[in-house]
C-alpha cells in the first residue's frame, strides 16, 4: 500500500529533462502562436498595465508574445511599450503581428518592421516609465536588498560586535564595530541580516542562504586588534543588530526590462518556499524555486506549475491507492536569479499553490 515517492520523482525528472532537451526542436517546427478570437484590433496602453496583461489580451499563450511583436529596427530598445501607446493588430507578409501605431496604421508598422524608413541614426529609447513584464510593486522587496549567497562564504565574513551607543537599535550616522578580517578604511560596505537557508528537496543539499541588507556603512578606522569602526550612511527599514555580517555590497544585477518567454532550463524544478510567511500562493504571490543560473534560469522565464495528483483508492481493485496524474495549475515568471535559486512571480493559478509543486517549461502548443 506504500507508494514509491522515489519512483514518482524519477519519472518526473526524466520527463522534465526530456522536455528541456527537445525545446529548441519543438519551437522550430511549431506553428505560429494562436491569436485570441476576441483580441482587440486597437488597444491604448494604460498606466498600470503589464506586459503579461497585454500579452494575455492577444494570445492564448502569452509567453509567445515576442513572436508576434513587430519590433522597430530603428529603435535600440525595440520591445519597450509605454502608456498611451496605441497597439494595432496587423497582417504583415502573411503573419499576424502587433505593433505601435505611429499614425500610419499597419503600413507604418510594416515599414518599421522591414527597415524601410529614413533614419540618420539608431534611436535609443529609455526604459523609464515603460510597461514592466509584471508589477514592480509586487516584487520590489525581492529585487532591491534581498539576495541568495553561499552559506560557507557568509559565515567567514566580519560580524557586528557592538555599537557606540551600546544598544542594538542603530540608524544612519551611528557608529558600529565589526570583528573579523580587518576592513579597508574608506571602503563602503553593506550590513546583511541572515535569513532562511534553502535545501534542495531532492538532494537535501544546502543550495543557498537568503540575506537581507539592513544598512550601508563606511569604514573610518581599524584598531590594532583588528576591530573595524563603521559609520552607518544608510539604513533600510531595519535596525542593525549584533551578529549581522559585513561585506562589500553585492550588485543585485536585474535587467531594467525583461520579457516573458518559455524557460530553457536543463531540468524540471519545484516551488521551495512561498514568500511573506504565508502557507500557499496564488496569483500575485512571490515564491522561491530550486532553479537558478546553474540550471539555465533567467529573468523573464515562464514555467508551468503542476500540482501533484490526488491519492485515491481504487474500489474495484481492493482499495489500492492510486496517484492521479499531475495537473497544470498555474504559471510563474522568474524575475531574479542566483546560483541554484530564483525568485518568481505567480502569473496565474487555478488552485492554491504550495511548496513541492512541480515546474516545467510551458508547451509551445
Amino acid at each position: 500500500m506504500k507508494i514509491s515517492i522515489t519512483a514518482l520523482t524519477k519519472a518526473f525528472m526524466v520527463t522534465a529533462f526530456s522536455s528541456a532537451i527537445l525545446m529548441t526542436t519543438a519551437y522550430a517546427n511549431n506553428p505560429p502562436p494562436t491569436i485570441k478570437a476576441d483580441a482587440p484590433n486597437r488597444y491604448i496602453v494604460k498606466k498600470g498595465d503589464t506586459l503579461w496583461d497585454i500579452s494575455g489580451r492577444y494570445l492564448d499563450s502569452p509567453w509567445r508574445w515576442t513572436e508576434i511583436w513587430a519590433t522597430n529596427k530603428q529603435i535600440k530598445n525595440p520591445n519597450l511599450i509605454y502608456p498611451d501607446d496605441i497597439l494595432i493588430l496587423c497582417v504583415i507578409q502573411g503573419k499576424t503581428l502587433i505593433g505601435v501605431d505611429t499614425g500610419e496604421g499597419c503600413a507604418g508598422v510594416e515599414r518599421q518592421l522591414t527597415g524601410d524608413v529614413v533614419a540618420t541614426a539608431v534611436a535609443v529609447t529609455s526604459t523609464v516609465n515603460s510597461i514592466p513584464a509584471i508589477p514592480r510593486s509586487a516584487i520590489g522587496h525581492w529585487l532591491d536588498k534581498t539576495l541568495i549567497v553561499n552559506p560557507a562564504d557568509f559565515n567567514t565574513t566580519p560580524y557586528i560586535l557592538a555599537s557606540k551607543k551600546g544598544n542594538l537599535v542603530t540608524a544612519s550616522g551611528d557608529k558600529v564595530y565589526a570583528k573579523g578580517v580587518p576592513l579597508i578604511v574608506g571602503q563602503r560596505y553593506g550590513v546583511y541580516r541572515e535569513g532562511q537557508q534553502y535545501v534542495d528537496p531532492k538532494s537535501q543539499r544546502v543550495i543557498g542562504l537568503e540575506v537581507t541588507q539592513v544598512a550601508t556603512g563606511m569604514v573610518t578606522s581599524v584598531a590594532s586588534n583588528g576591530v573595524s569602526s563603521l559609520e552607518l550612511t544608510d539604513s533600510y527599514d531595519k535596525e542593525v543588530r549584533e551578529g549581522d555580517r559585513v561585506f562589500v555590497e553585492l550588485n543585485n544585477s536585474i535587467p531594467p526590462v525583461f520579457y516573458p518567454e518559455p524557460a530553457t532550463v536543463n531540468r524540471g524544478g519545484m516551488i521551495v518556499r512561498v514568500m511573506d510567511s504565508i502557507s500557499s500562493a496564488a496569483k500575485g504571490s512571490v515564491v522561491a524555486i530550486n532553479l537558478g543560473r546553474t540550471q539555465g534560469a533567467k529573468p523573464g522565464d515562464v514555467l508551468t506549475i503542476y500540482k501533484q495528483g490526488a491519492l485515491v483508492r481504487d474500489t474495484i481493485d481492493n482499495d489500492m491507492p492510486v496517484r492521479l496524474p499531475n495537473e497544470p495549475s498555474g504559471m510563474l515568471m522568474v524575475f531574479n536569479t542566483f546560483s541554484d535559486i530564483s525568485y518568481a512571480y505567480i502569473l496565474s493559478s487555478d488552485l492554491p499553490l504550495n511548496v513541492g509543486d512541480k515546474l516545467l517549461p510551458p508547451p509551445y502548443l
Side-chain angles (χ1 to χ4, degrees), residues 42 72 84-88 90 99-112 117:
R42 183 175 183 271
N72 182 346
D84 298 325
D85 278 350
I86 300 173
L87 306 185
I88 52 175
C90 303
V100 176
D101 187 5
T102 58
E104 300 177 278
C106 289
V109 172
E110 182 171 9
R111 273 197 291 275
Q112 293 178 62
V117 293

Side-chain angles (χ1 to χ4, degrees), residues 161-237:
L161 179 65
S163 69
K164 183 178 179 180
K165 291 182 177 179
N167 57 31
L168 299 179
V169 180
T170 53
S172 300
D174 290 343
K175 179 171 284 190
V176 295
Y177 306 100
K179 183 181 178 182
V181 178
L183 303 176
I184 300 172
V185 175
Q187 173 72 53
R188 178 184 172 100
Y189 290 88
V191 182
Y192 292 86
R193 174 81 36 79
E194 181 175 359
Q196 172 144 341
Q197 192 174 74
Y198 288 94
V199 177
D200 186 83
K202 185 170 188 268
S203 66
Q204 294 301 303
R205 180 175 64 90
V206 175
I207 55 177
L209 174 69
E210 189 173 274
V211 299
T212 301
Q213 187 175 4
V214 296
T216 299
M218 187 78 69
V219 178
T220 57
S221 64
V222 178
S224 58
N225 63 357
V227 174
S228 303
S229 300
L230 296 95
E231 182 175 329
L232 300 182
T233 56
D234 299 281
S235 58
Y236 308 112
D237 300 324

Side-chain angles (χ1 to χ4, degrees), residues 22 27 33 59 92-94 103 111 122 158 176 192 200 215 226 233 282-283 292 297 320 342-343 351 356 364-365:
L22 294 173
Y27 180 79
L59 290 176
I92 299 174
Q93 298 176 358
R111 273 197 291 275
V122 173
V176 295
Y192 292 86
D200 186 83
T233 56
K283 180 180 179 181
M320 286 292 293
S342 293
Y343 292 141
L351 298 167
Y364 282 92
L365 295 177

Side-chain angles (χ1 to χ4, degrees), residues 127-167:
T127 60
V128 177
N129 298 322
S130 63
I131 295 299
I134 52 182
R136 294 284 179 180
S137 57
I139 64 175
H141 174 73
W142 310 105
L143 282 175
D144 296 334
K145 301 300 176 187
T146 304
L147 301 163
I148 305 293
V149 299
N150 185 318
D153 294 338
F154 181 80
N155 291 331
T156 63
T157 57
Y159 57 88
I160 298 296
L161 179 65
S163 69
K164 183 178 179 180
K165 291 182 177 179
N167 57 31

Side-chain angles (χ1 to χ4, degrees), residues 9-23 264-269 291 358-361:
T9 303
K10 284 183 178 178
F12 173 80
M13 297 307 291
V14 168
T15 302
F17 183 74
S18 301
S19 298
I21 294 296
L22 294 173
M23 191 66 76
T264 52
V265 290
N266 58 23
R267 64 167 172 81
L291 296 169
K358 308 298 190 298
L359 305 170
L360 283 175

